[in-house]
Amino acid sequence: MVGTKSDVGRTTLPRRQLGRALRDARQANGYTLEQVAEVLEISRSALGRLELGQNEKIKVRDIEFICEYYGLPEERTEYLKSLVVHSGTKVWWQDYRSLIRPGFNTYLQLEAAATELHFFQSLVIPGLLQTADYARNVEAYPPTSTMDEIERRVALRVKRSTILTRRHRPMRAEFLLHEAVLRTVVGSARIMARQHHHIADLSAQENVSIRVVPFTAGFPAGSAIPPYIIIDFLHNEPSVVYTEGAVGTMIFEEDDDVARFRDIFEAVRGAALQEQPSRDLLRTMARRYEQ
């Protein structure tokens, strides 16, 4: 588990993936950090930083040497070497970095590299589903924000959402939305009506599943559940879980933690309305907001 109240400025997603892969390979061989550091003639702290994704300057030949020592197959070695090359690549949201709240930069990297996203949300409509008007009201905090800052943050949200509608390999995403999210008025009834129509329209796409968890479902997982996102990747990279709150973010990476979140998700999914009834409810609520 990784916790942060600010961006993990010393790491990028490719470095995190590389570090975890090297740690898993070392542990699979039964080696300690000290043993590997001694054989490879590097410091234990340097190897530890590499496994945490905190080394900003990584040489491809060093990764090749480590992979050879761990006995990794050529295909796996080539993939890990490619992560070194991509670790310094500029990301599309870099121009918005001054507006991104602490911790969210890490999530954007995870989202950009994902193959599937699984959301449970009980507080606010997820950013990928938000209309510009809804996002504009959400982004009005803090009160000191200028109109230009708000509009740029809204633009970031709108641009992010195109991963669901792009022509080439649109993101597969599953959303479980608690009914409370849909009934919490943000901005005005007019904004909520358009927001609900927008969600209903998106739910008709093959790559998007949106289901409503009704009030009548109670607590299907046995207790109240905070919002979270399960993020899956290519190349058999381990899935992670991202959560956030008012004071910081948490990323769960351990297999047992991710498995527990999946179990919770399954329980909530089992209590949710099916896709068509959820879509019907969204359109019904939209009409009521219009009145």
Side-chain angles (χ1 to χ4, degrees):
M1 178 180 68
V2 175
T4 178
K5 292 185 180 180
S6 61
D7 279 337
V8 186
R10 296 173 298 169
T11 187
T12 66
L13 180 61
R15 287 203 298 266
R16 286 168 61 87
Q17 291 176 320
L18 174 63
R20 173 154 184 164
L22 293 177
R23 185 196 70 181
D24 290 346
R26 174 178 60 77
Q27 293 177 341
N29 280 281
Y31 300 144
T32 65
L33 282 171
E34 290 79 6
Q35 289 173 323
V36 177
E38 182 178 357
V39 172
L40 299 182
E41 297 182 345
I42 59 177
S43 70
R44 181 192 183 283
S45 60
L47 183 59
R49 288 195 301 274
L50 179 60
E51 291 188 359
L52 290 172
Q54 295 176 349
N55 277 11
E56 296 186 6
K57 296 182 179 180
I58 308 172
K59 297 179 180 179
V60 172
R61 65 175 178 270
D62 291 341
I63 299 305
E64 189 171 23
F65 183 42
I66 294 174
C67 289
E68 181 180 355
Y69 180 66
Y70 290 158
L72 297 181
E74 182 178 353
E75 181 179 357
R76 183 63 171 170
T77 298
E78 289 303 313
Y79 167 64
L80 296 184
K81 286 163 59 178
S82 74
L83 292 179
V84 178
V85 176
H86 292 144
S87 65
T89 303
K90 180 180 178 180
V91 291
W92 67 264
W93 61 86
Q94 189 164 332
D95 292 337
Y96 298 89
R97 61 188 180 277
S98 63
L99 301 173
I100 296 173
R101 64 182 179 274
F104 199 60
N105 179 60
T106 300
Y107 171 73
L108 289 177
Q109 295 178 50
L110 296 169
E111 182 182 89
T115 54
E116 289 191 22
L117 302 169
H118 305 269
F119 293 76
F120 170 71
Q121 181 55 258
S122 57
L123 299 176
V124 64
I125 291 172
L128 293 181
L129 301 180
Q130 291 178 10
T131 63
D133 284 337
Y134 186 100
R136 194 168 286 113
N137 281 270
V138 173
E139 291 295 348
Y141 180 86
T144 54
S145 297
T146 66
M147 288 302 299
D148 179 65
E149 289 172 338
I150 292 173
E151 289 304 318
R152 291 184 66 197
R153 287 199 291 265
V154 170
L156 172 61
R157 291 202 177 205
V158 172
K159 190 169 184 178
R160 279 179 53 219
S161 67
T162 60
I163 65 174
L164 299 179
T165 57
R166 63 195 179 196
R167 290 187 178 183
H168 179 63
R169 297 178 63 182
M171 179 71 69
R172 297 189 63 83
E174 177 180 14
F175 300 85
L176 300 181
L177 306 181
H178 196 279
E179 186 175 349
V181 173
L182 306 177
R183 297 193 181 276
T184 300
V185 178
V186 174
S188 68
R190 179 184 60 83
I191 289 174
M192 294 303 295
R194 292 179 178 177
Q195 177 64 73
H196 283 50
H197 280 307
H198 178 67
I199 297 175
D201 291 344
L202 282 175
S203 72
Q205 294 192 185
E206 291 186 3
N207 59 302
V208 178
S209 172
I210 300 175
R211 296 171 61 182
V212 177
V213 183
F215 285 127
T216 55
F219 298 106
S223 61
I225 309 163
Y228 68 88
I229 309 167
I230 301 173
I231 307 170
D232 298 325
F233 305 101
L234 283 173
H235 301 291
N236 295 319
E237 288 298 330
S239 300
V240 301
V241 174
Y242 176 88
T243 68
E244 64 180 357
V247 295
T249 64
M250 300 291 288
I251 298 174
F252 295 84
E253 300 179 287
E254 298 301 323
D255 293 341
D256 289 346
D257 291 332
V258 175
R260 175 57 180 152
F261 276 104
R262 286 196 191 278
D263 289 342
I264 293 172
F265 199 87
E266 288 294 331
V268 177
R269 180 195 284 139
L273 301 177
Q274 295 298 316
E275 291 183 14
Q276 186 59 55
S278 295
R279 191 175 302 121
D280 293 341
L281 177 60
L282 284 161
R283 296 200 188 284
T284 297
M285 293 181 67
R287 289 192 293 269
R288 289 175 180 171
Y289 277 122
E290 287 170 340
Q291 297 173 358

